[in-house]
Amino acid sequence: MSGHPARARPPPRRGRVRAATREDLAALEAFVASRRGAESYLEPETTATDTTVVAIAHDGEWIRRRTGSPRAAGSIARKHAVPLYEAARTGYPERMRAWNRAHPERHAR
């Protein structure tokens, strides 16, 4: 013990860049509706972003968009009959990494 009284920590600040929009949800829906073998991977909310989903097609092409909540992500997955996995538990499929290697221009930031 250091001899200093314990201080109550303030609650964490919400530093989100932005919340999910209708355009985010529409982009996810359009992607899974137009790609064969799509799967969705739920990413938890962080201090920087809302809950996000990575939708990955059969060939590894992918899109990441904010959904605002796991419930909204589940709703989209059910509507389009695509599986929804927890990315923290399952990781991402190898086909996504292979697609990234084949398309480095997509991630040149």
Side-chain angles (χ1 to χ4, degrees):
M1 290 187 68
S2 66
H4 296 287
R7 291 187 205 164
R9 290 186 179 197
R13 290 179 44 165
R14 304 297 298 187
R16 291 186 184 146
V17 175
R18 68 173 178 82
T21 65
R22 287 187 185 134
E23 290 79 15
D24 290 326
L25 301 177
L28 278 171
E29 291 203 45
F31 185 92
V32 299
S34 65
R35 292 346 185 254
R36 184 170 50 95
E39 298 174 325
S40 295
Y41 291 79
L42 181 69
E43 298 175 322
E45 176 182 359
T46 69
T47 58
T49 63
D50 270 335
T51 301
T52 54
V53 165
V54 177
I56 306 172
H58 79 283
D59 62 356
E61 181 185 7
W62 61 275
I63 183 175
R64 174 181 284 119
R65 293 292 184 269
R66 290 169 177 87
T67 61
S69 71
R71 185 178 198 160
S75 178
I76 292 170
R78 281 188 303 280
K79 178 178 178 181
H80 295 280
V82 298
L84 178 63
Y85 304 106
E86 290 182 47
R89 288 179 177 246
T90 65
Y92 301 99
E94 175 56 34
R95 69 182 186 274
M96 179 183 174
R97 291 184 285 282
W99 194 89
N100 286 341
R101 286 189 298 273
H103 298 88
E105 72 286 354
R106 168 115 184 250
H107 298 288
R109 294 183 186 197

